[in-house]
Amino acid sequence: GDGWTADAYAAGAATVIDGTLRPYRRTDEYRSLLASSPNVVIVMLGTNDARPLYWDELGERDTGFEGTPPQEFRHGYLELIRELRGLDSGPEVLVATPPPIYPEKAAEKRREDLARRRDNLVGEVIPLIREVAAEAEGATLVDVHGHMSASGGSADLTHDGVHYNGAGYRKMCGVFEAALIADQGFPDN
């Protein structure tokens, strides 16, 4: 709306945990986000963390964290929110649950991996995101996963079961718009 600008600082394949293809806090996009003086930040991470290769410790990860991937995820997410809240602009942080994964839409050779990723996401990652949002000062939970699942979420909103198409992103934007409007702490311009 009027008076708002939206900038994207997304990084493909980004994760909260280290030792992966692209830990978000080590990306140029994250450094740009920190330099942008935001008033509101929407963080939606977890889909890539839930990959069995990382979450189930099936591969070697180069990380200095001592603990399990779920413990590192929780710790790293809280640190990310603290860093964002510590910016001079003191932004509100919307912590979003990732949208649903639809293994049946994927190529057959990827279905088993995506089914496991979906199970990790729903069974472990999303509950941790809810805990983090409840614990972190200045964070507000936005339940994208729940909204998109309950409001007729569909594999047709994705290209391949995990990457969303234009219709899927429009649906997500509606969830974020409602969250921004509902929160009385945000300017109404």
Side-chain angles (χ1 to χ4, degrees), residues 39-43 77 80-85 90-96 133 136-142 186:
N39 297 106
V40 179
V41 177
I42 299 171
V43 181
Y77 220 134
L80 182 139
I81 294 167
R82 281 188 204 106
E83 287 173 3
L84 292 169
R85 292 286 299 147
E92 293 294 321
V93 179
L94 301 182
V95 177
E137 184 178 330
T140 301
L141 180 71
V142 178
F186 296 117

Side-chain angles (χ1 to χ4, degrees), residues 85-117:
R85 292 286 299 147
L87 294 173
D88 289 343
S89 60
E92 293 294 321
V93 179
L94 301 182
V95 177
T97 59
I101 294 174
Y102 300 98
E104 67 276 10
K105 180 82 180 232
E108 189 163 339
K109 66 182 179 182
R110 293 194 60 220
R111 286 183 189 157
E112 185 177 328
D113 182 69
L114 273 186
R116 183 68 192 137
R117 189 190 307 194

Side-chain angles (χ1 to χ4, degrees), residues 54-103:
Y54 306 142
W55 199 260
D56 298 339
E57 300 184 88
L58 300 177
E60 292 289 323
R61 288 189 312 113
D62 182 17
T63 178
F65 187 85
E66 292 192 26
T68 65
Q71 291 167 334
E72 182 179 1
F73 181 84
R74 186 179 193 291
H75 174 81
Y77 220 134
L78 285 167
E79 284 300 308
L80 182 139
I81 294 167
R82 281 188 204 106
E83 287 173 3
L84 292 169
R85 292 286 299 147
L87 294 173
D88 289 343
S89 60
E92 293 294 321
V93 179
L94 301 182
V95 177
T97 59
I101 294 174
Y102 300 98

Side-chain angles (χ1 to χ4, degrees), residues 45-47 49-52 54-57 68-74 77 97-98 116-132 145:
L45 293 165
T47 299
D49 295 275
R51 289 184 64 197
Y54 306 142
W55 199 260
D56 298 339
E57 300 184 88
T68 65
Q71 291 167 334
E72 182 179 1
F73 181 84
R74 186 179 193 291
Y77 220 134
T97 59
R116 183 68 192 137
R117 189 190 307 194
R118 179 202 53 214
D119 294 347
N120 287 344
L121 185 71
V122 172
E124 296 183 57
V125 173
I126 289 175
L128 283 171
I129 291 170
R130 291 179 189 287
E131 285 179 23
V132 164
H145 189 278

